[in-house]
Amino acid sequence: MTKVACIGECMVELKQAGSGLFSRGYGGDTLNTAVYLARLGAGVDYITALGDDPLSDEMIAGWATEGVGTGQVLRLRGKLPGLYMIQTDASGERRFFHWRDSAAARSLMDLPETDSILSSLAHYDVVYLSAITLSLYGEKGRERLFAGLKRARASGARFAFDTNFRARGWPDLEVARHVFRQAFEIADIVLASTEDLLPLYPSESHEALLARIPGGEVALKLSEPASILRIANVSHAIKAEPVTAPVVDTTAAGDSFAAAYVAARLAGAGPVEAARAGHRLAGIVVCHPGAIIPRAAMPSDLISGFTGVSP
């Protein structure tokens, strides 16, 4: 049985290649997580909608090569995937430019196949999505998705929510705060960061941010290389291993953290060990350009020491 379903959007990615040129790939926060999950040995399906164009064909072929299941990808006649460009500064910090308003993925919660997709979530151990995923859909689409997540949880699936926040994806901050509250209330695992939450809740302390999340398993990544892990109302400070190589691109740092965390938990690791695995993989990812690092750069022993059953 496939263990993880990742729901979201993949776009055509343009990244800097020098001399004013850009190279073309693909990426998207939940797709990045799905690829890293597959590389870490987890069974994973990606759930999205794409067009019937050659770029969408190329994406699906690439995902299959990475071991990501594509049986839940819907193809829409006449539609295209979205596109984004990454611009990075000298310190590796990134800036995104998007062209995605009519992308196929935005229709996922409004299709004849939607009910079947949502019913299938009950067959996974973990359903993973992000705030960016939720920003793709309108209010009715989000309500439909939340209802499907509740049914899946009633059948034993766990819901992992990544707080990846992009203000431009929301009509206003109040709508975003409302949707975040809805997600927090049903999430079994919340993978948060101060970078995501402080724009929504300015000037709040780490403790205040954590208090907004009722779930029993929460990882709050900090601005420094560390995180606070709260398990059953007990907090643990987790420090990341120092990154010794130059940081060139922070794209997908949070996505890879999420993948390693979920993969480690499914492999039997406790939350503290899972958070350390997340920091370790993220520390490797930021030393490479683009969202998906070369396969040869993946650590072979990241979760190999964990044994047990999924928590």
Side-chain angles (χ1 to χ4, degrees):
M1 179 180 69
T2 299
K3 291 183 178 295
V4 185
C6 293
I7 307 174
E9 177 185 25
C10 182
M11 292 172 282
V12 178
E13 176 191 86
L14 299 179
K15 62 185 177 183
Q16 292 168 309
S19 302
L21 300 176
F22 289 82
S23 63
R24 178 172 61 83
Y26 56 85
D29 64 336
T30 53
L31 186 278
N32 301 335
T33 299
V35 169
Y36 286 119
L37 277 165
R39 288 184 176 185
L40 292 171
V44 57
D45 281 343
Y46 196 57
I47 300 178
T48 192
L50 287 174
D52 57 354
D53 58 288
L55 289 173
S56 295
D57 292 339
E58 181 181 303
M59 286 185 185
I60 288 180
W63 304 347
T65 299
E66 286 284 359
V68 175
T70 61
Q72 297 267 54
V73 178
L74 303 181
R75 305 295 298 271
L76 306 184
R77 184 184 300 273
K79 285 286 190 178
L80 293 167
L83 180 148
Y84 73 98
M85 182 175 69
I86 304 172
Q87 184 182 72
T88 54
D89 62 21
S91 64
E93 286 301 319
R94 75 278 195 214
R95 184 182 181 191
F96 296 98
F97 301 87
H98 290 85
W99 295 263
R100 66 195 296 204
D101 289 348
S102 61
R106 302 181 77 90
S107 303
L108 184 63
M109 291 297 118
D110 302 306
L111 299 171
E113 301 90 344
T114 301
D115 284 340
S116 176
I117 289 287
L118 293 175
S119 295
S120 74
L121 300 182
H123 303 295
Y124 294 92
D125 292 330
V126 175
V127 180
Y128 171 86
L129 57 84
S130 73
I132 291 179
T133 305
L134 296 175
S135 74
L136 297 173
Y137 318 127
E139 182 178 358
K140 290 184 179 179
R142 286 192 292 266
E143 292 297 335
R144 200 173 181 184
L145 176 54
F146 282 137
L149 289 169
K150 290 176 182 177
R151 292 192 298 270
R153 292 179 72 241
S155 296
R158 305 186 80 201
F159 169 35
F161 175 57
D162 190 317
T163 62
N164 203 0
F165 175 69
R166 298 291 182 270
R168 62 182 167 268
W170 299 92
D172 59 62
L173 292 183
E174 280 305 316
V175 171
R177 292 182 187 112
H178 173 69
V179 174
F180 269 62
R181 285 194 297 270
Q182 290 179 292
F184 289 156
E185 287 171 359
I186 62 173
D188 299 285
I189 300 171
V190 175
L191 301 163
S193 74
T194 54
E195 180 183 9
D196 296 330
L197 297 185
L198 284 176
L200 288 168
Y201 315 107
S203 303
E204 290 199 353
S205 67
H206 299 159
E207 293 74 16
L209 293 175
L210 285 167
R212 290 185 175 276
I213 306 172
E217 184 168 340
V218 183
L220 178 67
K221 298 184 292 295
L222 308 180
S223 57
E224 62 267 28
S227 61
I228 300 173
L229 190 65
R230 192 189 70 207
I231 304 298
N233 295 319
V234 177
S235 294
H236 308 265
I238 311 294
K239 289 188 177 182
E241 298 176 8
V243 176
T244 56
V247 173
V248 298
D249 188 351
T250 59
T251 303
D255 309 333
S256 56
F257 178 98
Y261 188 97
V262 171
R265 294 291 277 133
L266 288 170
V272 171
E273 291 79 8
R276 288 177 177 147
H279 280 302
R280 183 180 170 199
L281 182 57
I284 294 171
V285 168
V286 299
C287 298
H288 296 81
I292 305 298
I293 66 175
R295 185 181 291 273
M298 290 290 297
S300 60
D301 59 343
L302 189 70
I303 60 171
S304 60
F306 305 132
T307 59
V309 297
S310 58

